Amino acid sequence: MIVVIGHKNPDTDSVVSAIVGSYLFNQLGFNSKPARAGELNKETKFILNYFKKNEPELISNLAGQDFILVDHNSVKESVDGRDDHRLAAVIDHHYLSGVQTEKPILYRAEPIGSTSTILAKMFWEKKIDLPQDLAGLLLAGIISDTLKFNSPTTTKEDKEIAQKLADLTKVDIDQLAEQMFEAKSDLGDLSWGEIISKDYKVFEGNSKTFGVGVWETVKPELLLRNRDKIIESMRRKKEIDRLDWFLFGVVDIIKQNTYLFLVDSDETELAQVVFNGKIENRIMFLPGIISRKKQMVPEILKYLNK
Amino acid sequence: MIVVIGHKNPDTDSVVSAIVGSYLFNQLGFNSKPARAGELNKETKFILNYFKKNEPELISNLAGQDFILVDHNSVKESVDGRDDHRLAAVIDHHYLSGVQTEKPILYRAEPIGSTSTILAKMFWEKKIDLPQDLAGLLLAGIISDTLKFNSPTTTKEDKEIAQKLADLTKVDIDQLAEQMFEAKSDLGDLSWGEIISKDYKVFEGNSKTFGVGVWETVKPELLLRNRDKIIESMRRKKEIDRLDWFLFGVVDIIKQNTYLFLVDSDETELAQVVFNGKIENRIMFLPGIISRKKQMVPEILKYLNK
């Protein structure tokens, strides 16, 4: 039995890619099951409920398992216990992290908005029938990862394929996206510490270490009005993780802006040099910026490596 | 301008993949040209002549160039000067060697008989018209890399796609293969030193280093009758490359056997333990063995790592 699994801190694209990917690989003669590498967020739970699918099994250690990776390839983003002798395939849309195998395997990566987009193409290329509910999951994966085609990672192909999936499932993209983003914006019973680290990554440049957390929402005001508590949680995380800087961006998916929370004078100085946005009450406003991958981190690295 | 290039010591699959791959990528909006990473063998020259194609430009250093890799991904097999910041895509059927990039790129690898097979699929998947002469080149690539479907690397898909290409080009597979293998068997004006190192790779296992050269031919007798000169050339190469063992296999493509030339008692002992074939005049006969990748090297490594 081969485990099909996405990255830790799973997002919607990684979870639907595991479910639909496992179905596709089984059609191609593999014997696989989908898994998740952590707790699901509220958007993903909403989507599974919407298309009447069970949560995949939680797997937090891959030791002794054959596996297929979806939506990531880096060891840092995988659950523990991964032994690449047992890696059977990869479907991904991220950079190549240096994976090594001893035998040829299927490796399919494309510079495109979501892993879901690649999976949809593979069904059509291989002329395998794509069930309506699985098409719906893939549509949700594209909407989620591209922020409904607004992220700068979006390609023409993502849009075309999302429309094709919407036609197939008779789901209205705008309506589905609105419900997904509403679910994603629900803070639920998460602590502020959980919220700032739910989608958090650490980067290095010129011997300096910085963390960037993001929270995508249609209701930024829920976070803005709790500025002091959030900044206090950030200060603790910065200490524990021994960061030189910690930035937390609240991304307004509707208005396409980011509110960057600044812990201390270190962060304020860095953000002023790199982004030069208007600061009010220790929050910098960044109009038009919504992507950590394409817009935030590259600018910081460019400055540090100068 | 992006250079589309295969591995050093180019074989037919790597050269036709560069030519057809460049055409495909240009249809997809890239601006590319095909290249070769070394002198062509006689089989490849025959094929280019047969389908009226020019030899691609020779490039022996990639410094300062954007590039797409076909039929390999390992740095050891690439020409010098490769800077993976400039890697634009990979199409391959070998193991993953640990390539790293900073941004997502197209990476397509499959465990299949030839890179030509993958390229043919990509034309059909993307509904791009495949010109007859390019279809002929891909057919030749499949025939060459699978030894006309006899190599254990061959899959059902390789055979189906080769037949589809043969129908498209109205070329008879058996006749084309016969001419290709005839051309490949022509020793021409190569020295014995050139012949033993034309398709030669070095491997490591348990701190020991061994080289394995192969020569695929329909006329093994041309080599068998020059045993002493070949073994003398092997002895020199073994010394220069500081090998613990050097094996040279003459593969009879028609009868599907290999004649393994043994330099000294070291090689004789190794071959006796690992393959246990009948030895006559310092040549071991290996019935049914034709693939270095799948049949020779794994057995030697298994023994060394025991």
Side-chain angles (χ1 to χ4, degrees):
Chain A
M1 178 66 72
I2 302 173
V3 173
V4 184
I5 193 164
H7 51 77
K8 285 188 287 195
N9 287 339
D11 58 10
T12 298
D13 189 37
S14 74
V15 175
V16 301
S17 292
I19 296 172
V20 182
S22 173
Y23 177 89
L24 173 67
F25 280 107
N26 289 346
Q27 299 298 307
L28 294 172
F30 289 74
N31 177 22
S32 79
K33 66 175 179 188
R36 61 188 164 93
E39 286 309 311
L40 303 187
N41 67 35
K42 287 184 181 285
E43 181 194 73
T44 309
K45 285 186 176 175
F46 163 76
I47 278 300
L48 294 184
N49 187 48
Y50 189 97
F51 290 106
K52 299 187 177 51
K53 289 281 163 193
N54 293 326
E55 289 197 6
E57 179 187 339
L58 176 67
I59 289 188
S60 46
N61 197 307
L62 276 173
Q65 307 252 35
D66 295 321
F67 61 100
I68 289 171
L69 298 177
V70 290
D71 199 36
H72 76 298
N73 69 88
S74 151
V75 171
K76 276 194 304 183
E77 295 185 49
S78 289
V79 292
D80 294 343
R82 174 178 148 181
D83 168 7
D84 284 358
H85 289 94
R86 290 172 166 272
L87 175 59
V90 179
I91 313 289
D92 189 22
H93 70 132
H94 293 87
Y95 69 96
L96 300 170
S97 68
V99 176
Q100 296 188 27
T101 63
E102 285 176 345
K103 56 181 199 305
I105 63 165
L106 174 69
Y107 195 109
R108 170 109 173 220
E110 297 189 35
I112 202 166
S114 76
T115 301
S116 295
T117 312
I118 302 170
L119 283 168
K121 292 203 301 186
M122 290 179 73
F123 274 86
W124 297 326
E125 286 167 8
K126 294 176 186 302
K127 300 188 173 54
I128 291 170
D129 194 49
L130 174 59
Q132 273 213 359
D133 53 349
L134 300 190
L137 292 182
L138 292 179
L139 175 59
I142 301 175
I143 291 172
S144 174
D145 246 35
T146 66
L147 297 176
K148 203 180 89 178
F149 320 129
N150 283 308
S151 163
T153 58
T154 313
T155 67
K156 193 163 148 275
E157 218 173 5
D158 294 301
K159 289 184 204 172
E160 288 166 358
I161 285 170
Q163 191 53 57
K164 210 168 149 183
L165 292 166
D167 295 344
L168 198 70
T169 51
K170 300 177 187 70
V171 166
D172 182 273
I173 291 178
D174 291 325
Q175 278 178 21
L176 181 63
E178 199 182 317
Q179 290 176 277
M180 285 170 59
F181 296 160
E182 189 70 34
K184 178 185 273 187
S185 305
D186 180 2
L187 302 182
D189 50 7
L190 293 175
S191 69
W192 296 114
E194 287 167 327
I195 285 169
I196 59 166
S197 50
K198 192 75 184 158
D199 182 0
Y200 159 78
K201 293 184 179 174
V202 173
F203 304 89
E204 282 176 58
N206 202 10
S207 306
K208 297 287 189 177
T209 304
F210 60 100
V212 185
V214 291
W215 182 267
E216 295 167 347
T217 181
V218 295
K219 291 174 181 163
E221 59 280 5
L222 292 181
L223 294 110
L224 291 172
R225 82 164 78 107
N226 285 284
R227 186 198 59 205
D228 292 345
K229 289 175 200 148
I230 290 174
I231 286 181
E232 189 43 44
S233 296
M234 290 172 70
R235 182 170 291 121
R236 275 198 299 273
K237 185 150 188 72
K238 184 182 171 185
E239 258 183 47
I240 292 167
D241 288 4
R242 295 165 177 271
L243 302 173
D244 291 301
W245 297 280
F246 180 30
L247 300 167
F248 176 62
V250 173
V251 180
D252 184 332
I253 314 174
I254 302 296
K255 297 202 181 122
Q256 305 279 309
N257 299 319
T258 287
Y259 298 92
L260 201 61
F261 285 56
L262 307 167
V263 187
D264 278 320
S265 56
D266 295 344
E267 283 76 11
T268 304
E269 280 168 28
L270 180 72
Q272 274 175 329
V273 183
V274 175
F275 300 109
N276 192 29
K278 203 179 143 215
I279 298 180
E280 206 170 302
N281 288 326
R282 294 160 70 194
I283 296 175
M284 182 181 274
F285 182 65
L286 299 175
I289 291 191
I290 57 171
S291 169
R292 173 173 55 196
K293 179 159 64 174
K294 282 232 172 181
Q295 296 171 310
M296 300 178 205
V297 172
E299 290 304 312
I300 299 172
L301 286 174
K302 205 190 298 172
Y303 166 70
L304 293 182
N305 292 322
K306 207 159 55 182
Chain B
M1 178 66 74
I2 301 174
V3 173
V4 184
I5 192 163
H7 51 78
K8 287 187 286 196
N9 287 337
D11 58 11
T12 298
D13 190 37
S14 75
V15 175
V16 301
S17 292
I19 296 172
V20 182
S22 173
Y23 178 89
L24 173 66
F25 280 107
N26 289 345
Q27 299 298 307
L28 294 171
F30 289 73
N31 178 23
S32 79
K33 65 175 179 188
R36 61 189 165 92
E39 285 311 312
L40 302 187
N41 68 34
K42 287 183 182 282
E43 181 193 74
T44 309
K45 284 186 178 175
F46 162 77
I47 279 299
L48 294 184
N49 188 47
Y50 189 95
F51 291 106
K52 300 186 176 52
K53 289 282 163 191
N54 293 326
E55 288 197 7
E57 180 187 337
L58 176 67
I59 289 188
S60 46
N61 196 306
L62 275 174
Q65 305 252 38
D66 295 320
F67 60 101
I68 289 171
L69 298 177
V70 291
D71 199 36
H72 76 297
N73 69 89
S74 149
V75 171
K76 278 194 303 186
E77 295 184 49
S78 288
V79 292
D80 294 342
R82 173 178 150 182
D83 168 7
D84 285 357
H85 289 94
R86 289 173 167 272
L87 174 59
V90 179
I91 312 288
D92 189 22
H93 70 132
H94 294 86
Y95 69 97
L96 301 169
S97 69
V99 175
Q100 296 187 26
T101 64
E102 285 176 345
K103 55 179 200 306
I105 63 164
L106 175 69
Y107 195 108
R108 171 110 172 217
E110 296 189 35
I112 203 166
S114 76
T115 301
S116 295
T117 313
I118 302 170
L119 283 169
K121 292 203 302 185
M122 289 178 74
F123 274 86
W124 297 326
E125 286 167 7
K126 294 176 185 302
K127 300 188 171 53
I128 292 170
D129 195 50
L130 174 58
Q132 274 215 357
D133 53 349
L134 300 190
L137 292 182
L138 292 180
L139 175 59
I142 301 175
I143 291 171
S144 174
D145 246 35
T146 65
L147 297 176
K148 203 180 88 177
F149 320 128
N150 284 309
S151 163
T153 57
T154 313
T155 67
K156 192 164 149 274
E157 215 173 6
D158 293 302
K159 290 183 203 171
E160 287 166 359
I161 285 170
Q163 193 52 57
K164 207 168 152 183
L165 291 167
D167 295 344
L168 198 70
T169 51
K170 299 177 188 68
V171 166
D172 182 273
I173 291 178
D174 291 325
Q175 277 178 23
L176 181 63
E178 198 183 319
Q179 290 176 279
M180 285 170 59
F181 295 158
E182 190 68 36
K184 179 185 276 189
S185 304
D186 180 1
L187 302 180
D189 50 8
L190 293 175
S191 68
W192 296 114
E194 286 167 327
I195 284 169
I196 59 166
S197 50
K198 191 76 185 160
D199 182 0
Y200 160 77
K201 292 182 180 177
V202 173
F203 304 88
E204 282 175 61
N206 204 7
S207 306
K208 297 285 190 179
T209 305
F210 61 100
V212 185
V214 292
W215 182 268
E216 296 166 347
T217 180
V218 296
K219 293 174 181 165
E221 60 278 6
L222 291 181
L223 293 109
L224 291 171
R225 81 164 79 106
N226 285 284
R227 187 198 58 206
D228 292 346
K229 289 177 200 149
I230 289 174
I231 287 181
E232 190 43 44
S233 295
M234 289 173 69
R235 183 171 290 120
R236 274 199 298 274
K237 184 149 189 73
K238 185 182 170 184
E239 258 182 47
I240 293 168
D241 289 4
R242 296 164 177 270
L243 302 174
D244 292 299
W245 297 281
F246 180 30
L247 299 166
F248 176 60
V250 174
V251 180
D252 184 332
I253 312 175
I254 302 297
K255 298 200 180 124
Q256 304 281 310
N257 299 319
T258 289
Y259 298 92
L260 200 61
F261 285 57
L262 307 167
V263 188
D264 277 321
S265 56
D266 296 342
E267 282 76 12
T268 304
E269 281 168 28
L270 180 73
Q272 276 175 328
V273 184
V274 175
F275 300 110
N276 192 28
K278 203 179 142 213
I279 299 181
E280 206 169 301
N281 288 326
R282 293 159 73 192
I283 296 175
M284 182 180 275
F285 182 63
L286 299 175
I289 290 192
I290 58 172
S291 170
R292 172 173 54 196
K293 179 158 64 173
K294 282 232 173 182
Q295 296 172 308
M296 299 179 206
V297 172
E299 291 304 312
I300 300 172
L301 285 175
K302 207 191 295 174
Y303 166 70
L304 292 182
N305 291 322
K306 208 159 51 180

